Amino acid sequence: MKDVAARAGVGLKTVSRVVNEEPGVTPDTVARVQSAIDALGFRRNDSARLLRTRRTASVGLVLEDLADPFYGALSRAVEDVARAHGALLFTGSSIENPRREQELVLAFCARRVDGLVVVPASDDHRYLTPEIDAGVATVFVDRPAGRIDADVVLTDNAGGTRTGVAHLIAHGHRRIGFIGDQPGIHTAAERLRGYREAMADAGLPVRPDWYAMGPTTPERVRAALATMLTGPEPVTALLAGNNRVTVTAVRVLSGRPRPVALVGFDDFELADLLDPPVTVVAQDAPGLGRSAAQLLFRRLDGATSQETSRVELPARLIARGSGEIPPAD
């Protein structure tokens, strides 16, 4: 900085103000200092900055699966907010593995991130208590934390599913199936609850062979759907519990002579170009990421309320055609 100050003909404090984008420096002086920085190849020493401020200007994001477009949109929104606050984002995938989640979270903490945004795979986050007590701001997103009280941003999963099932009922369906993810996952359990509530509100039964929870592998979804579509009372419509289930359901149902109505939870790429286009209950993935990151930076900027925040965003139905098919019988 002394070399930059000497070359630009200004004091050290002026260089500091320019580097840290502080007010009180004229545009001509900024240009002169920046020219000296460029000529000398000056780079700010972030290690020294950490010693002075005790902040690294970095945050960690732990997702379920980086390959899932839903989490891609969520991650981009978190990154945009972090960038607006001058922070670097580190990202990793837990692959729905609690041990890997913990390893990632603690690895980020070991690198002194200022805060964390976590899509939890675990149902016990007490391992994070020492980090939170040490000042690591933490916000959970998509699912709540397990066994600790923490800020969280969620989708109204039960409400979204109720809307999707009610839409199928409004189009004449009475035998409606539901295929969801692992029942221990918060979002999957909430969507199953919404399905049951919508059927009960309409006075409709839920037969044991009309719903199935478990891994979202194509093999498991195909088997569950085959069970629902056979027997004395086959379903005439399906609510798919997430985008992976929906994609497999589209492949199965496209080859059937009798049409089956379909509503998927989560939108997905090209859903509007299929035949018929797929009706979905869409989450606001960017909204989830943006809300979680904004809440995180409010904490980092000094929001000291002892009460944790719970933000719940609505899901919306997008009617495209597959959910409006009437029952064949």
Side-chain angles (χ1 to χ4, degrees):
M1 288 180 66
K2 288 181 180 178
D3 292 340
V4 171
R7 187 180 183 94
V10 299
L12 279 174
K13 181 60 177 176
T14 299
V15 176
S16 176
R17 285 175 174 166
V18 172
V19 169
N20 292 295
E21 300 180 349
E22 296 175 3
V25 186
T26 66
D28 287 345
T29 302
V30 171
R32 196 161 69 250
V33 171
Q34 190 59 57
S35 177
I37 287 172
D38 294 342
L40 294 171
F42 172 83
R43 294 293 182 271
R44 182 173 63 192
N45 187 327
D46 282 334
S47 296
R49 181 171 177 265
L50 170 60
L51 292 173
R52 178 171 58 85
T53 66
R54 297 189 178 276
R55 293 277 291 268
T56 61
S58 63
V59 295
L61 171 62
V62 177
L63 300 168
E64 177 197 343
D65 184 0
L66 281 169
D68 188 324
F70 172 81
Y71 290 114
L74 188 153
S75 174
R76 175 62 183 271
V78 173
E79 184 177 28
D80 287 345
V81 175
R83 183 182 177 89
H85 284 80
L88 184 67
L89 181 68
F90 298 108
T91 307
S93 297
S94 69
I95 316 297
E96 206 64 71
N97 184 314
R99 183 173 180 178
R100 179 161 172 167
E101 175 210 289
Q102 182 172 344
E103 289 173 351
L104 273 171
V105 165
L106 295 181
F108 287 151
C109 290
R111 285 159 177 77
R112 304 288 298 277
V113 295
D114 298 323
L116 294 163
V117 176
V118 181
V119 177
S122 170
D123 59 3
D124 186 350
H125 292 92
R126 287 176 296 177
Y127 71 85
L128 253 173
T129 300
E131 309 298 336
I132 294 173
D133 290 344
V136 179
T138 305
V139 176
F140 289 81
V141 63
D142 191 41
R143 310 166 188 173
R147 306 187 73 175
I148 64 170
D149 190 24
D151 294 326
V152 63
V153 179
L154 304 169
T155 295
D156 180 6
N157 289 282
T161 309
R162 284 196 301 270
T163 298
V165 174
H167 184 72
L168 292 167
I169 292 170
H171 284 80
H173 295 278
R174 298 296 179 267
R175 303 195 303 272
I176 301 169
F178 176 82
I179 301 178
D181 208 331
Q182 302 275 16
I185 297 173
H186 170 81
T187 50
E190 284 294 285
R191 292 169 195 176
L192 175 61
R193 179 169 71 86
Y195 162 73
R196 288 182 175 278
E197 289 176 351
M199 296 291 279
D201 289 345
L204 298 176
V206 175
R207 289 171 51 98
D209 56 342
W210 287 359
Y211 69 94
M213 306 292 287
T216 57
T217 59
E219 296 76 18
R220 202 279 301 186
V221 174
R222 286 177 182 274
L225 192 48
T227 298
M228 294 179 187
L229 294 173
T230 57
E233 293 186 280
V235 300
T236 63
L238 175 70
L239 194 298
N242 63 29
N243 52 13
R244 292 184 291 273
V245 175
T246 304
V247 169
T248 300
V250 167
R251 292 190 172 116
V252 173
L253 298 178
S254 64
R256 289 184 58 83
R258 293 167 66 87
V260 175
L262 173 66
V263 173
F265 203 111
D266 288 336
D267 205 358
F268 60 97
E269 192 173 6
L270 304 181
D272 57 330
L273 298 180
L274 296 174
D275 184 20
V278 181
T279 296
V280 297
V281 175
Q283 297 189 77
D284 183 3
L288 286 169
R290 185 166 51 251
S291 296
Q294 289 170 343
L295 180 53
L296 180 73
F297 280 98
R298 284 200 297 273
R299 291 292 188 190
L300 290 173
D301 290 340
T304 56
S305 170
Q306 295 301 308
E307 292 187 6
T308 56
S309 296
R310 180 186 176 95
V311 178
E312 193 166 75
L313 304 183
R316 65 189 181 96
L317 182 84
I318 304 176
R320 295 189 177 120
S322 68
E324 294 70 58
I325 298 171
D329 53 6

